[in-house]
Amino acid sequence: MPLRPRYGDLLLIVLIILPLLVALPRLGGLGGPPELWLTWVGRVTGILGLAMMLLAAAVSIRLPGTDRWFGGLARLWRLHHWLGFTAFILVMVHVLALGLAAVPASLDAAVATLFPPLSHGATWLGWLAWLAMVIFLAPTFDFFGQPHYQRWKRLHLVSAAALLLGLGHALLLAGESALWWLLGLAGIGAIVWRKLVSPRVARHPYRVEAVERLARGVVELVLRPEGRPMAYEAGQFVYLTPLDERLSAGRGEEHPYTIASAPSDSRLRIGIKDLGDASHALQTVEPETRILIEGPYGEFYGRHFPERDQLWIGGGIGITPFVGGARDIAERGLTDGRVHLFYLANSPERAYYREELERIAAGHESFAFSQHYSRERGRLDEAYLREHCPDFTEREIYVCGPPAMNAHLKQLLAGQGIPASRIHSEVFDFL
């Protein structure tokens, strides 16, 4: 499958560099004494840091479909984290460089540069923006351990204050302000959309029609749309917000789950494993209660199945995108290529969709199904893959499962000479 250009990446690069290009004529060159060079570095890193901070907020808007510009929502969140972390580092370099630039004059001059009288409002707005960044980024980068998901989301609202303060700092100092206004509106607008507008206008109402128990601690929710159903593709995921007042946890909270139904299904089916407070509570959600769905997101299989034969490897609740893909094959068949699904589980009792997948494989020559149980055979290895799928190294490969399983499989497949461009996975590691 040829790699499609990620136009979102190109757009981000342009928007990061553009403020610097606009400001360069006023920044001067790199020649002269060290203090002038340090001043130049301080100003450049400040411009780039603020641009990245505003764009980190902008890409968090989470509009369905736009995540494809960046290779899916999971990758977009990684870009969001990278932009935020890099912005923080650049802001630190900005402060340090400007302080060091004043040292040749005197230490008092350096201190006065960084901590001027309160009448120098622009500088103090910058310090307040930095403090706000420390507050909301500390949990993100595990400075104090892994944060609670919902507490982290609430704390992240401090980012709005950081953006406003940083924008004020730049507008008071910049000679050209139009571009900063544009980036500022994009960043603040994204936060307003995510927190205030989207929950009211962008979510699809559904009702729980049935709760099918697949195994201990695993259910499949069958959801009936109230109104026009959401359109989606196999392998995509949604954010699910339950409204059942009897839930012990998670009511009104959004969490990502993969769609397990075929796009042609009149019902939306979502497999959920008991992995935390919210997913534990959903094991007992009551039929006919309301669910809000936001999405769809992701591009696990891309826009279409590639012409190349495929190898699917799923384990744990990571089997759900492959169940959706298999159900899609059962509905419409495959026009090009063949698919071989390997289901990795501890034992047959933990292979939740095993019987249905066996039936689909029996009815479709283009779809093959193999099972691997770690209690019997240990970890999946090259010999088992080659025994059941001799041409696996020539296929397009999709992997989804627990992090340890994904890491093992990527190492195993890379060891067989399979290029990373043909190994696809999507992990909901959004913190």
Side-chain angles (χ1 to χ4, degrees), residues 314-316 319 342-354 370-380 405:
I319 196 65
F342 281 75
Y343 196 158
L344 312 188
N346 290 334
S347 62
E349 295 76 26
R350 302 304 296 173
Y352 323 127
Y353 293 96
R354 174 173 54 88
S370 297
Q371 303 159 64
H372 180 279
Y373 302 120
S374 59
R375 288 181 182 172
E376 298 175 2
R377 300 178 175 271
R379 279 180 153 185
L380 181 70
M405 187 201 91

Side-chain angles (χ1 to χ4, degrees), residues 22-330:
V22 171
L24 273 178
R26 296 184 293 105
L27 298 182
L30 282 171
E35 54 266 30
L36 291 182
W37 182 84
L38 285 167
T39 299
W40 188 90
V41 170
R43 290 173 178 173
V44 167
T45 52
I47 292 169
L48 293 176
L50 179 59
M52 287 188 177
M53 184 168 67
L54 294 171
L55 289 171
V59 299
S60 70
I61 191 168
R62 212 176 75 192
L63 284 174
T66 57
D67 58 305
R68 288 184 178 274
W69 303 348
F70 302 90
L73 191 60
R75 184 175 181 273
L76 182 56
W77 280 140
R78 289 193 292 272
L79 283 173
H80 167 77
H81 289 174
W82 178 85
L83 286 168
F85 178 74
T86 305
F88 182 74
I89 297 300
L90 288 172
V91 168
M92 295 297 295
V93 174
H94 165 69
V95 173
L96 181 61
L98 291 180
L100 289 175
V103 168
S106 70
L107 288 178
D108 288 342
V111 172
T113 298
L114 297 181
F115 305 102
L118 293 179
S119 58
H120 292 239
T123 301
W124 288 104
L125 284 177
W127 276 115
L128 290 174
W130 174 83
L131 179 61
M133 289 182 73
V134 170
I135 291 173
F136 79 82
L137 285 177
T140 301
F141 299 117
D142 296 346
F143 292 163
F144 306 109
Q146 184 73 9
H148 181 273
Y149 181 68
Q150 292 301 325
R151 191 180 304 121
W152 168 83
K153 291 189 68 175
R154 289 190 293 269
L155 186 61
H156 226 58
L157 289 174
V158 179
S159 63
L163 295 185
L164 288 171
L165 292 165
L167 187 61
H169 172 74
L171 291 174
L172 289 173
L173 297 174
E176 300 288 341
S177 60
L179 189 55
W180 287 123
W181 277 114
L182 177 63
L183 293 178
L185 288 173
I188 298 298
I191 294 176
V192 171
W193 168 263
R194 284 286 331 119
K195 300 302 180 183
L196 298 179
V197 181
S198 174
R200 292 169 174 79
V201 304
R203 294 179 177 177
H204 304 268
Y206 280 78
R207 285 197 180 271
V208 178
E209 184 170 281
V211 181
E212 299 180 355
R213 305 201 175 278
L214 305 178
R216 179 173 52 83
V218 184
V219 298
E220 182 175 87
L221 301 187
V222 182
L223 307 179
R224 181 181 69 249
E226 290 189 327
R228 187 176 181 179
M230 178 189 68
Y232 59 91
E233 298 175 5
Q236 290 192 291
F237 66 92
V238 296
Y239 278 83
L240 181 151
T241 304
L243 301 179
D244 188 347
E245 296 183 355
R246 291 161 291 191
L247 288 177
S248 60
R251 180 182 180 275
E253 297 179 0
E254 58 176 16
H255 290 270
Y257 297 101
T258 302
I259 300 170
S261 47
S264 59
D265 197 332
S266 63
R267 299 296 186 259
L268 186 68
R269 301 171 187 272
I270 298 177
I272 299 177
K273 186 176 182 179
D274 183 355
L275 293 172
D277 292 344
S279 56
H280 173 76
L282 284 172
Q283 307 293 309
T284 58
V285 67
E286 294 289 337
E288 295 306 317
T289 57
R290 294 186 74 231
I291 296 276
L292 297 178
I293 297 293
E294 188 171 350
Y297 300 104
E299 56 166 10
F300 188 57
Y301 296 113
R303 294 189 182 277
H304 303 285
F305 289 147
E307 294 182 2
R308 190 194 303 270
D309 290 343
Q310 297 171 66
L311 172 65
W312 297 353
I313 309 177
I317 201 60
I319 196 65
T320 47
F322 301 121
V323 172
R327 286 170 168 171
D328 191 28
I329 292 173

